[in-house]
Structures are given as structure tokens and as C-alpha cells.
């Protein structure tokens, strides 16, 4: 890579790190940047996962205050579920033709954007059906765990929009403030990326220089993004997540 191309990849990593900790569509910046350099899609996808790992780590560190508001059993279930799901996703990436799962991704993202947008109304309806007061759903139900696992599979396979999906799953399944859900989502993506990265290091073809440059940018962007995400009003954050997810889906459909 030339000097300007290296700077472009670092900048893509910075932007992806910011999005990891805020709206959850990080790969829609970094993955196309690697493709534009002529890196094959599967190699770019695996290298992108590894390159964004430091961003998820620094973002989770930046959200440590919010993560303390979640019970330890709930955090453990979310992390383990996403990590196990990511094993399946990484295996799918290496075993299936490149376009199989990606063909469904835009529609999955659009659906989860809808869920994120209407989540407050759905949550109120669910509570009224079960006569549960606000704030009582603090542990993972089997249904929430199942869908979190599916999101982990998607995160290990491709990941673009996985943050939006996880926001929808956790926002519907738990009575937590949106900023706390955002923090838990960032930690969940860290778990998925970590497991997938270990698999890719031993099995997949990688462009380590591209992954390293992404890592440099993402570690800064993830930490800064956590501070931005903490300060955004819940309504504005929800709107930004929906807009980012719709934009991601439209770009993937083109």
C-alpha cells in the first residue's frame, strides 16, 4: 500500500471505531475501504474483523461505567452467547460461498432498524400483556438469549449491522436505558469479534498490514465513540441508529 492508502485505512478504522461504540455499523466503512484496495472479499472480511477488535475493546473500556449497571449474570450470558454464536458465523464464512448469507443481510438490517425504532412501544405493549412494571426485565430470557446467539452468528460471519441487531434484541428483551444497552452491545460485539479473530488467525487468509492499520484507527475511535454515545439523548441515538442501519442496508443492496 502507498502512504495515502495507509492513511485512508487508518481513517477508515477511526470511523469504524466511532461507529462501533455508537450506532453499530462499523464494517460499512472499513470493509469497503479494504475492498477498494483490491483485497479479496473473504480476506478483507477476516482482516476487517481482526482490525476492529481493538476498537470494540477500547469502546467497552469507555463504557465501563454503564456496564457496571448490568448484573454480572446477564453480562456473562450475553458475552458467552455471542461468543458461541460467532464460532458458527466464522465457520460459515470459511465454508459457504461468499454471497449466500450476505444476500439476506440487508433485509435483516432493515428489519432490526424497524425494531429499534419502535422498541419503546413494543416494550410497553409486552409489559402490559404480562402486567410487568417498567424495570423488571433485568435477566436474559430464553428467547432473548436465542436471538442474541443468532446475532453472534451474523457478527462472526460478516458483522455489518450486527450492532443494530444486538441493540434491537437487548432493547426488547431487557429493561435497560438505551445508553446501557449500547454499552452491552459493544461488549457483545467484542466477544464475537474476539472469538472470530482467533479462528481467522489460525485458519483464514489475512492481510495483516491492513488489519494492523485498521486496529490503529479503531482503538482511538472506539474509546472516543463511547464518550459520544454516552452523551447522546436516547431519542437522538435511536434515530441515528435507524438512519445508519437503513443507509447500510441500502448500500448493501446496490
Amino acid at each position: 500500500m502507498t502512504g495515502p492508502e495507509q492513511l485512508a485505512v487508518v481513517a477508515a478504522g477511526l470511523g469504524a471505531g466511532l461507529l462501533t461504540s455508537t450506532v453499530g455499523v462499523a464494517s460499512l466503512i472499513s470493509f469497503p475501504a479494504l475492498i477498494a484496495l483490491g483485497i479479496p472479499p473473504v480476506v478483507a472480511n477476516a482482516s476487517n474483523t481482526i482490525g476492529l477488535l481493538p476498537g470494540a475493546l477500547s469502546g467497552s473500556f469507555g463504557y465501563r461505567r454503564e456496564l457496571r449497571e448490568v448484573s454480572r449474570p446477564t453480562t456473562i450470558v450475553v458475552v458467552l452467547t455471542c461468543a458461541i454464536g460467532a464460532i458458527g458465523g466464522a465457520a460459515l464464512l470459511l465454508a459457504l460461498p461468499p454471497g449466500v448469507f450476505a444476500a439476506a443481510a440487508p433485509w435483516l438490517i432493515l428489519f432490526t432498524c424497524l425494531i429499534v425504532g419502535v422498541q419503546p412501544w413494543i416494550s410497553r405493549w409486552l409489559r402490559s400483556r404480562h402486567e410487568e412494571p417498567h424495570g423488571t426485565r433485568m435477566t436474559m430470557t430464553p428467547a432473548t438469549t436465542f436471538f442474541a446467539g443468532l446475532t453472534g452468528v451474523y457478527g462472526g460471519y460478516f458483522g455489518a449491522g450486527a450492532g443494530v441487531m444486538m441493540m434491537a434484541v437487548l432493547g426488547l428483551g431487557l429493561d435497560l436505558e438505551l445508553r446501557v444497552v449500547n454499552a452491552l452491545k459493544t461488549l457483545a460485539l467484542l466477544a464475537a469479534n474476539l472469538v472470530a479473530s482467533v479462528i481467522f488467525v489460525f485458519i483464514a487468509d489475512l492481510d495483516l498490514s491492513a488489519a494492523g492499520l485498521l486496529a490503529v484507527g479503531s482503538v482511538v475511535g472506539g474509546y472516543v465513540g463511547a464518550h459520544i454515545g454516552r452523551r447522546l439523548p436516547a431519542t437522538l441515538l435511536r434515530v441515528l441508529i435507524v438512519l445508519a442501519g437503513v443507509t447500510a442496508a441500502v448500500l448493501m443492496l446496490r
Side-chain angles (χ1 to χ4, degrees), residues 160-226:
V164 177
M165 296 179 185
M166 188 58 69
M167 289 286 288
V169 171
L170 298 178
L172 275 178
L174 300 171
D175 282 334
L176 296 172
E177 292 184 39
L178 195 61
R179 60 181 177 81
V180 180
V181 172
N182 209 5
L184 194 55
K185 170 265 297 180
T186 303
L187 184 64
L189 295 184
L190 169 61
N193 282 357
L194 178 60
V195 170
S197 294
V198 171
I199 295 173
F200 294 153
V201 164
F202 287 100
I203 299 177
D205 292 327
L206 299 170
D207 189 317
L208 292 178
S209 61
L213 292 169
L214 281 178
V216 170
S218 71
V219 71
V220 177
Y223 186 73
V224 173

Side-chain angles (χ1 to χ4, degrees), residues 1-27:
M1 284 184 280
T2 64
E5 288 175 337
Q6 291 175 338
L7 289 175
V9 175
V10 172
L14 176 65
L18 285 167
L19 294 181
T20 295
S21 301
T22 51
V23 295
V25 289
S27 293

Side-chain angles (χ1 to χ4, degrees), residues 6-139:
Q6 291 175 338
L7 289 175
V9 175
V10 172
L14 176 65
L18 285 167
L19 294 181
T20 295
S21 301
T22 51
V23 295
V25 289
S27 293
L28 266 298
I29 289 182
S30 51
F31 179 70
L34 300 187
I35 293 295
L37 294 175
I39 300 174
V42 174
V43 177
N45 198 3
S47 303
N48 178 67
T49 298
I50 294 174
L52 296 187
L53 183 60
L57 179 61
S58 64
S60 297
F61 179 76
Y63 275 126
R64 60 194 182 280
R65 188 170 67 201
E66 281 75 15
L67 290 172
R68 284 195 289 266
E69 299 181 33
V70 186
S71 69
R72 181 169 296 181
T74 297
T75 301
I76 291 173
V77 170
V78 170
V79 168
L80 288 180
T81 300
C82 289
I84 293 169
I87 296 174
L92 287 174
L93 176 67
L94 300 174
L96 293 178
V100 172
F101 204 69
W107 305 107
L108 288 172
I109 294 172
L110 284 174
F111 176 72
T112 51
C113 284
L114 174 64
I115 296 299
V116 170
V118 301
Q119 180 262 322
W121 292 276
I122 295 177
S123 294
R124 282 198 291 270
W125 178 76
L126 289 173
R127 282 193 297 270
S128 66
R129 293 270 297 180
H130 295 87
E131 298 182 350
E132 296 176 337
H134 179 72
T136 59
R137 299 179 305 153
M138 303 302 290
T139 58

Side-chain angles (χ1 to χ4, degrees), residues 133-152:
H134 179 72
T136 59
R137 299 179 305 153
M138 303 302 290
T139 58
M140 296 284 284
T141 64
T144 305
T145 302
F146 173 76
F147 286 108
L150 286 183
T151 305

